């Protein structure tokens, strides 16, 4: 049985330059995500939630502290090494979908499977799109899909490689209330089915309460946990 947490942040700080001088985004932040755990990050705009996701995923280097992803300290890896570590094990879901506009729905979902060199990528992509209710939209391009449909494609793309860890940054933020509920139901259902750990940024308190743990950030620090 694997006892190494998929994610550990230890006393992490992030300071970025600005016209007015250095700005502290994250301060002395420690957080551990257990295997299969679902954690929601909440807090006011500018509190550092999205920056935490970027640092945790190895997309941004912290200014202080250490980040361990699957037991490996990210500061010891270059950009290619971090990408290799994430490949097939980490997926991201964004508010803005980030689908490739020149690819169909099935091609978008198959892309990470092909990058991970998994056999039967297109067949697996079609199975996942059917699972999210888009079996009839396989060959539609993103501009031919509604916002809710695009986010369902993004969720299928994220989960198709069977990742151990998913980062979701406001996954329902661009959707109306009806689509947001549907996408949230789908995300939690599929995450539970696959057993992936989830670290999710959200302003939606109802969505946050569906997580197993809620961490509130303010001024780059966790101020409470539930």
């Amino acid at each position: 049985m694997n006892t190494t947490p998929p994610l550990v942040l230890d006393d992490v700080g992030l300071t970025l330059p600005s016209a007015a001088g250095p700005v502290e985004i994250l301060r002395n932040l420690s957080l551990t995500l257990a295997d299969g755990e679902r954690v929601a990050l909440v807090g006011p705009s500018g509190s550092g939630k999205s920056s935490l996701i970027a640092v945790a995923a190895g997309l941004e280097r912290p200014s202080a502290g250490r980040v361990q992803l699957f037991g490996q300290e990210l500061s010891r890896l270059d950009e290619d090494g971090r990408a290799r570590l994430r490949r097939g094990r980490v997926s991201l879901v964004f508010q803005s979908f980030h689908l490739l506009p020149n690819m169909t729905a099935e091609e978008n979902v198959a892309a990470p499977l092909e990058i991970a060199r998994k056999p039967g990528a297109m067949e697996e992509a079609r199975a996942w799109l059917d699972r999210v209710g888009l079996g009839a939209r396989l060959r539609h391009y993103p501009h031919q899909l509604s916002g809710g449909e695009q986010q369902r494609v993004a969720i299928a793309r994220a989960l198709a490689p069977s990742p151990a860890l998913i980062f979701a940054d406001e996954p329902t933020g661009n959707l109306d209330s009806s689509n947001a509920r549907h996408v949230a139901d789908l995300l939690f259902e599929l995450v539970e089915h696959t057993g992936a750990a989830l670290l999710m940024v959200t302003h939606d308190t109802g969505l946050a309460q569906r997580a197993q743990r809620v961490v509130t950030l303010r001024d780059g620090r966790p101020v409470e946990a539930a």
Side-chain angles (χ1 to χ4, degrees):
M1 182 177 179
N2 181 23
T3 59
T4 302
L7 177 66
V8 177
L9 290 89
D10 182 19
D11 205 24
V12 165
L14 177 65
T15 301
L16 297 177
S18 76
V23 178
E24 273 192 295
I25 308 297
L26 300 174
R27 314 176 191 192
N28 309 114
L29 193 151
S30 295
L31 176 71
T32 297
L33 190 67
D35 193 37
E37 186 180 19
R38 297 181 291 279
V39 173
L41 295 173
V42 301
S45 295
S47 60
K49 302 185 299 298
S50 293
S51 294
L52 190 157
I53 292 282
V55 167
L59 305 176
E60 183 81 57
R61 283 187 178 271
S63 308
R66 65 191 181 99
V67 179
Q68 286 188 320
L69 198 60
F70 305 113
Q72 293 199 43
E73 192 166 337
L74 293 185
S75 64
R76 298 177 179 174
L77 301 174
D78 60 16
E79 186 174 347
D80 288 342
R82 296 194 300 274
R84 284 193 297 270
L85 179 61
R86 287 191 298 266
R87 188 175 301 152
R89 304 176 78 186
V90 174
S91 289
L92 296 100
V93 179
F94 297 99
Q95 177 177 351
S96 299
F97 318 138
H98 290 296
L99 300 179
L100 297 171
N102 60 335
M103 287 188 176
T104 63
E106 64 179 348
E107 289 169 340
N108 265 282
V109 177
L113 297 170
E114 291 170 341
I115 290 170
R117 298 179 179 176
K118 295 198 174 185
M122 292 302 285
E123 292 82 358
E124 187 73 8
R126 286 192 283 271
W128 272 96
L129 285 167
D130 190 55
R131 195 172 294 179
V132 300
L134 293 175
R137 310 283 269 168
L138 302 175
R139 293 175 178 82
H140 286 71
Y141 289 89
H143 74 272
Q144 297 172 312
L145 302 172
S146 69
E149 288 171 334
Q150 289 185 61
Q151 192 61 301
R152 281 188 276 160
V153 173
I155 289 172
R157 179 181 62 184
L159 285 159
S162 299
L165 174 58
I166 297 171
F167 295 106
D169 193 353
E170 294 286 359
T172 61
N174 272 343
L175 305 177
D176 60 52
S177 58
S178 177
N179 271 310
R181 283 192 301 273
H182 181 63
V183 165
D185 288 344
L186 190 61
L187 176 62
F188 275 94
E189 175 189 335
L190 294 176
V191 165
E192 184 172 358
H193 175 75
T194 60
L198 172 68
L199 185 62
M200 175 183 63
V201 167
T202 183
H203 282 100
D204 185 334
T205 55
L207 180 57
Q209 291 302 323
R210 298 180 65 168
Q212 295 165 307
R213 180 157 56 106
V214 178
V215 175
T216 301
L217 295 188
R218 185 167 291 117
D219 297 327
R221 295 188 178 98
V223 294
E224 65 182 86

